[in-house]
């Protein structure tokens, strides 16, 4: 991978992150009554609002405010939650590892299930089971997450008592590891809606590989179907899936936010939901910014990995 390619991708990612910061900054100033009134609430007196505006620099020109906002972000200052009486950075720092665990587990199981399933479907193209699996994948992909989560709670938790109806509780990431059974339903909800994308993409990539001349040569040499699939089709079908990881990341993160609220899992999603309900705007904006940055960085990593796996890819 050339240094020029890496620099261009880094600059592009930085430009997107700066653009996200501009959007978040503008959204703060578009809040009803201005940022001071929105943060302090309707019960604040005009004197309190005025003091808040002066103390936080909202009386300065917008460009100066944005520069100060960027400087604060570079120092890790995401604002202060007056509702929870804590820095936003602290609240996000407690919730982010739990969401990262949820997303990582959902990604891992989706890949483990979806990729082999998609390649098997390609090897048995147009069979009855292939059509049935396609219907299942498309159904799972199109399901609303909140509705799917409620169905799993009603069926597996309330009716059958197989799993707890809510995710692991506790303020630390160790609480999630100490109660892995409680992670099953939140992770399962995400996997059901995500694995179909990997399966469909793997199936399409495998069909393209099966039509190539080197597959015919491998079969002519006497290799079995299993050897052809594992040695040639699987290896060449995985490369396009690297880019899919970056493309699906925003959907998985957004899905995790919904799942956390449904299963009362104390991650970024539940933090965002509670902040939105209580009009805790600094937390809402902080979570939105962190999620956007994580999405951009995830896409950047996926692009770099794809270039490392296949140097023929050009910028």
């Amino acid at each position: 991978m050339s240094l020029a390619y890496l620099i261009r991708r880094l600059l592009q990612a930085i430009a997107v992150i700066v653009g996200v910061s501009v959007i978040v900054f503008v959204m703060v100033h578009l809040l009803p009554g201005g940022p001071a009134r929105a943060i302090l609430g309707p019960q604040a007196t005009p004197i309190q609002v005025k003091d808040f505006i002066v103390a936080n620099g909202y009386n300065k020109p917008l460009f100066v405010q944005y520069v100060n906002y960027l400087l604060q972000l570079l120092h890790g200052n995401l604002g202060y939650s007056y509702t929870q009486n804590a820095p936003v950075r602290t609240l996000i720092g407690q919730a982010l590892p739990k969401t990262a665990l949820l997303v990582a587990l959902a990604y891992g199981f989706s890949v483990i299930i979806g990729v082999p399933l998609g390649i098997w479907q390609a090897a048995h193209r147009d069979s009855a089971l292939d059509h049935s699996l396609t219907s299942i994948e498309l159904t799972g992909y199109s399901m609303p997450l909140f509705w799917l989560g409620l169905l799993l709670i009603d069926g597996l938790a309330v009716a059958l008592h197989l799993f707890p109806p809510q995710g692991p509780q506790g303020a630390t990431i160790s609480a999630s590891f100490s109660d892995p059974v409680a992670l099953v339903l939140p992770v399962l909800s995400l996997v059901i809606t995500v694995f179909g994308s990997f399966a469909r993409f793997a199936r399409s990539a495998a069909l393209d590989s099966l039509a190539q001349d080197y597959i015919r040569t491998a079969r002519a040499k006497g290799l079995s179907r299993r050897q052809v699939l594992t040695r040639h089709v699987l290896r060449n079908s995985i490369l396009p899936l690297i880019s899919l990881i970056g493309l699906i990341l925003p959907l998985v993160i957004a899905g995790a936010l919904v799942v956390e609220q449904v299963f009362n899992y104390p991650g970024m999603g539940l933090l965002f939901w509670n902040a939105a309900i209580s009009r805790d705007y600094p937390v809402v904006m902080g979570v939105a910014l962190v999620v956007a940055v994580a999405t951009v960085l995830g896409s950047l990593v996926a692009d770099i990995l794809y270039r490392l796996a296949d140097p023929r890819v050009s910028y």
Side-chain angles (χ1 to χ4, degrees):
M1 181 175 61
S2 65
L3 181 61
Y5 176 84
L6 180 61
I7 292 175
R8 285 195 296 266
R9 291 297 293 115
L10 287 174
L11 291 177
Q12 187 181 46
I14 292 173
V16 174
I17 292 174
V18 171
V20 171
S21 69
V22 172
I23 295 175
V24 173
F25 175 79
V26 172
M27 289 176 63
V28 170
H29 286 77
L30 292 178
L31 293 173
R37 176 61 66 180
I39 293 173
L40 295 179
Q43 72 279 1
T45 64
I47 295 178
Q48 291 174 329
V49 172
K50 182 178 179 180
D51 292 341
F52 185 87
I53 290 174
V54 174
N56 290 274
Y58 289 122
N59 57 332
K60 298 179 180 179
L62 284 178
F63 177 76
V64 176
Q65 292 184 45
Y66 177 70
V67 172
N68 292 334
Y69 173 71
L70 278 183
L71 293 176
Q72 293 295 323
L73 289 181
L74 292 176
H75 287 85
N77 184 9
L78 297 174
Y80 191 85
S81 171
Y82 295 91
T83 302
Q84 304 186 52
N85 196 28
V88 176
R89 177 176 60 183
T90 301
L91 298 174
I92 292 179
Q94 295 173 351
L96 183 58
K98 301 170 189 176
T99 298
L101 174 64
L102 185 62
V103 171
L105 289 175
Y107 252 115
F109 284 111
S110 297
V111 172
I112 292 173
I113 297 173
V115 173
L117 189 61
I119 293 177
W120 186 92
Q121 287 183 257
H124 300 80
R125 181 182 183 182
D126 293 333
S127 64
L129 189 54
D130 175 35
H131 291 303
S132 299
L133 290 173
T134 297
S135 300
I136 294 174
E137 292 158 4
L138 293 178
T139 301
Y141 178 79
S142 60
M143 272 190 178
L145 256 175
F146 71 91
W147 184 70
L148 174 61
L150 294 176
L151 285 180
L152 292 178
I153 292 174
D154 184 61
L156 300 180
V158 177
L160 299 178
H161 304 287
L162 296 178
F163 305 103
Q166 63 179 7
Q169 303 300 300
T172 61
I173 186 65
S174 59
S176 299
F177 290 104
S178 63
D179 192 10
V181 178
L183 276 171
V184 173
L185 291 185
V187 173
L188 181 60
S189 299
L190 284 174
V191 170
I192 290 175
T193 58
V194 173
F195 89 96
S197 298
F198 287 100
R200 300 302 299 163
F201 207 90
R203 181 182 183 276
S204 177
L207 287 175
D208 291 339
S209 298
L210 288 171
Q212 301 301 317
D213 292 336
Y214 65 85
I215 298 296
R216 300 189 186 94
T217 303
R219 287 172 174 169
K221 289 181 178 179
L223 294 180
S224 64
R225 171 182 285 184
R226 179 179 179 182
Q227 290 174 322
V228 170
L229 292 177
T230 55
R231 294 183 185 180
H232 299 283
V233 176
L234 177 62
R235 182 179 302 176
N236 289 280
S237 299
I238 285 179
L239 287 178
L241 292 175
I242 297 177
S243 61
L244 184 64
I245 292 176
L247 293 174
I248 291 184
L249 181 60
L251 299 178
V252 177
I253 293 178
L257 301 183
V258 177
V259 166
E260 289 176 8
Q261 192 277 327
V262 172
F263 292 96
N264 196 34
Y265 181 72
M268 295 277 285
L270 189 60
L271 177 66
F272 182 87
W273 174 266
N274 292 333
I277 294 298
S278 60
R279 297 185 179 181
D280 193 352
Y281 293 113
V283 174
V284 172
M285 299 304 177
V287 172
L289 182 63
V290 170
V291 169
V293 171
T295 302
V296 172
L297 293 179
S299 299
L300 173 63
V301 171
D303 287 345
I304 293 176
L305 290 177
Y306 191 87
R307 181 62 186 267
L308 289 174
D310 191 353
R312 297 172 299 173
V313 177
S314 62
Y315 180 77

